[in-house]
Amino acid sequence: MMSKKVSVKGGAEGEKKKDSKKGSSSPSRVVMSLNHVLILSVALNVGFFINHLGLKDFINTSVSNSVCGEKPSKQTPFSSSLVTENGGGGGIGDEQKLLPSDSVINLDHGDPTMYESFWRKMGDKATIVIPGWQCLSYFSDIKQVCWFLEPDFAQEIIRLHKLVGNANTKDRYIVVGTGSTQLFQAALYALSPSNATEPISVVSAAPYYSSYPLVTDFLKSGLYRWAGDAYTFNKEGPYIELVTSPNNPDGYSRESVVKHGGGTLVHDLAYYWPQYAPLTSMADHEIMLFTVSKSTGHAGTRLGWALVKDKEVAKKMTKYIELNTIGVSKDSQLRAAKILRTLTDSCENMEKTDHTECFFKDGHLIMAERWGQLRDAVQRSGMFSLPQFSPDFCNYKGTVTEPHPAFAWLRCEGEVQDCESFLKGHKILTRSGRHFGEDPKYVRVSMLDRNESFKLFVERLSSIHS
Ligand SMILES: Cc1ncc(COP(=O)(O)O)c(C=O)c1O
């Protein structure tokens, strides 16, 4: 495949020279078609790697909604500074762009593009400029256990948790990761006994986050192995239980479920933020994972953080990341520090309950409105059902609120057995319950897409009748 690609490219360039000399039109068509072959070949190679690595599940190859990079930077192409723009706009990602009513709506991934509207509103408040001389070193703060953690980012993490009150940061080690996906793997490495005769079991209560089994078994580690649904796990001996609360995909708040106990818990708190759930207590677990992907919507920044009680565990997690990627992008950390600072500033000095300039207030209003619209659509259709949630007192908002999860765990009622295929027939892409260790009568639907797709989704859903 590779050699084919190279020879096609060489041929195409040769033709291009001839073409310009003679000014003939037919060689130019040859160039065009060879270029197409080249593009096709590259696309096939990329497709091959995506398939080969099992990433197809995660990467959407059908529609590109990318905003990053679609608009030329205001800087010259040769500028040595990195500018992150919030203004953006004018392209595919523009809120104003109307989708044709027969569009395929892709709600398979939890891509948090809903938050673009808030960050656009923030204008330049969250913009950073990184001069070319900055961030060259591998190291950030060698006195810290996590020596590649940028102090500014660490400071903003603590400030944000303090504002929101969702997790205890006192006497905790912060470990930064390339997304919480890397931290999850670092935690598995850190918690696995190094001298065991067989891999430690990794479990989570079904329906569980679909990436857990894939990521756990991807490298066929001799240290740990996916062992399925925590509800039915009854093997004696050590195990690691992943507790996701609020849960992806069904949105319920959770605790550990393995009956015989004695395992180590990893709490994935990606969605324990005010826009999704009432914050009923300050989480205070051994290992807590967070990510900017779901807290601020900056999934592309690829940053997560772990709050870790035990120093040895924090050291081993750091070691994993050191060996895996020699640290975590400083550019991303500086950007995330600025994003978190802007977010905290937006909510800190104001009445929390009545101002949409506050990120969490804005997010909560949008989520509440979307869940209301989805429940209406489900009722009008009569073919589906949704989980019901109990309202609870939110310590942050100072009032009783309902959960508004980032995903809808939708069930096809009646005859339909394969809800994913059924909805696909209506040009709505979702993720089947199968991937979450559950019945295919369920699908997971992202609630975090842009307004236009969400609007089209509820309209289309409400018009599906038996
Ligand atoms: C429960 C949960 N944990 C972790 C992640 C991954 O987060 P990140 O983008 O930081 O790798 C997700 C993303 O969907 C998630 O739902």
Side-chain angles (χ1 to χ4, degrees):
M1 195 122 193
M2 286 302 282
S3 61
K4 220 194 230 168
K5 198 173 78 181
V6 169
S7 69
V8 169
K9 191 178 178 202
E13 278 167 0
E15 289 293 340
K16 210 182 225 162
K17 277 191 197 120
K18 258 195 258 166
D19 184 38
S20 65
K21 262 190 215 148
K22 291 184 186 167
S24 135
S25 66
S26 68
S28 112
R29 273 202 301 275
V30 173
V31 172
M32 289 273 287
S33 63
L34 284 171
N35 278 338
H36 284 136
V37 171
L38 170 63
I39 290 162
L40 187 65
S41 169
V42 170
L44 285 172
N45 273 322
V46 170
F48 169 77
F49 280 113
I50 286 169
N51 273 318
H52 192 67
L53 293 172
L55 293 175
K56 206 172 84 181
D57 212 43
F58 197 77
I59 298 173
N60 163 27
T61 50
S62 59
V63 190
S64 168
N65 281 334
S66 175
V67 173
C68 250
E70 82 177 16
K71 185 170 179 269
S73 161
K74 280 181 190 144
Q75 295 201 304
T76 72
F78 301 108
S79 164
S80 56
S81 295
L82 184 148
V83 174
T84 53
E85 286 184 282
N86 285 305
I92 303 166
D94 198 318
E95 276 286 329
Q96 303 311 315
K97 191 174 189 316
L98 282 178
L99 290 172
S101 61
D102 63 345
S103 302
V104 174
I105 309 163
N106 191 340
L107 301 174
D108 176 1
H109 312 289
D111 207 20
T113 44
M114 174 191 102
Y115 293 108
E116 278 167 11
S117 57
F118 178 85
W119 292 109
R120 278 177 201 278
K121 246 183 353 195
M122 287 293 105
D124 268 346
K125 281 187 189 154
T127 299
I128 59 163
V129 176
I130 304 177
W133 54 264
Q134 209 177 326
C135 298
L136 269 64
S137 170
Y138 284 112
F139 305 98
S140 294
D141 186 352
I142 55 167
K143 293 192 294 303
Q144 299 301 320
V145 166
C146 186
W147 52 266
F148 45 80
L149 170 63
E150 278 294 303
D152 275 5
F153 185 44
Q155 191 184 316
E156 294 304 329
I157 287 169
I158 293 167
R159 199 173 150 233
L160 179 61
H161 282 303
K162 210 165 156 192
L163 170 84
V164 174
N166 59 344
N168 187 9
T169 54
K170 209 159 167 274
D171 301 325
R172 291 302 200 283
Y173 297 92
I174 301 176
V175 182
V176 61
T178 302
S180 71
T181 301
Q182 189 181 38
L183 290 163
F184 160 60
Q185 294 166 76
L188 294 186
Y189 168 76
L191 299 175
S192 300
S194 53
N195 54 358
T197 51
E198 60 171 330
I200 190 170
S201 298
V202 180
V203 296
S204 188
Y208 40 72
Y209 173 36
S210 50
S211 284
Y212 289 154
L214 301 175
V215 172
T216 305
D217 282 350
F218 181 46
L219 293 178
K220 298 185 172 36
S221 166
L223 295 176
Y224 47 81
R225 182 189 297 150
W226 178 249
D229 186 1
Y231 282 120
T232 54
F233 178 72
N234 54 14
K235 192 174 164 203
E236 289 303 319
Y239 64 90
I240 298 169
E241 182 178 352
L242 310 166
V243 181
T244 312
S245 187
N247 190 37
N248 171 0
D250 64 13
Y252 288 111
S253 96
R254 281 196 156 177
E255 291 175 0
S256 63
V257 303
V258 177
K259 296 272 187 321
H260 59 78
T264 317
L265 306 181
V266 176
H267 280 82
D268 187 336
L269 304 185
Y271 303 96
Y272 197 46
W273 295 100
Q275 66 270 45
Y276 305 121
L279 306 180
T280 53
S281 65
M282 184 183 282
D284 193 24
H285 310 288
E286 289 284 332
I287 301 178
M288 300 182 275
L289 306 183
F290 292 94
T291 167
V292 294
S293 304
K294 308 301 159 137
S295 53
T296 72
H298 291 80
T301 305
R302 305 305 306 128
L303 271 195
W305 66 96
L307 302 177
V308 184
K309 218 180 240 178
D310 185 277
K311 188 173 186 178
E312 290 313 306
V313 173
K315 273 187 182 169
K316 281 188 83 175
M317 288 177 71
T318 302
K319 190 71 188 171
Y320 176 90
I321 296 169
E322 178 186 318
L323 295 178
N324 190 214
T325 44
I326 324 182
V328 172
S329 163
K330 284 188 178 192
D331 298 345
S332 278
Q333 291 188 63
L334 294 186
R335 180 173 190 218
K338 181 72 184 232
I339 297 285
L340 294 195
R341 191 176 310 136
T342 310
L343 190 167
T344 306
D345 287 348
S346 81
C347 299
E348 202 171 52
N349 299 316
M350 70 171 64
E351 189 56 52
K352 286 172 200 155
T353 48
D354 64 355
H355 209 304
T356 54
E357 283 290 300
C358 165
F359 176 83
F360 292 125
K361 177 71 184 166
D362 192 62
H364 178 247
L365 285 175
I366 297 173
M367 294 305 288
E369 189 183 23
R370 287 186 174 196
W371 270 92
Q373 290 167 348
L374 179 60
R375 288 197 189 280
D376 279 356
V378 161
Q379 202 173 14
R380 263 180 280 144
S381 158
M383 287 205 59
F384 307 97
S385 65
L386 285 167
Q388 297 297 326
F389 303 106
S390 312
D392 222 325
F393 188 82
C394 175
N395 292 332
Y396 172 68
K397 294 181 214 108
T399 172
V400 172
T401 59
E402 259 192 48
H404 301 119
F407 296 101
W409 188 230
L410 192 71
R411 189 174 190 275
C412 279
E413 297 297 339
E415 305 283 284
V416 178
Q417 297 305 316
D418 182 346
C419 200
E420 183 191 80
S421 302
F422 176 73
L423 288 170
K424 198 171 175 183
H426 292 272
K427 296 191 177 175
I428 301 170
L429 307 186
T430 59
R431 193 172 297 185
S432 167
R434 284 182 295 111
H435 300 287
F436 306 89
E438 263 287 2
D439 202 300
K441 276 185 87 71
Y442 287 93
V443 288
R444 189 195 74 172
V445 183
S446 171
M447 296 291 286
L448 301 183
D449 215 290
R450 296 185 180 96
N451 264 341
E452 280 309 315
S453 350
F454 187 77
K455 240 176 77 191
L456 202 52
F457 163 59
V458 285
E459 275 168 25
R460 202 172 290 169
L461 198 75
S462 63
S463 67
I464 302 174
H465 303 290
S466 58

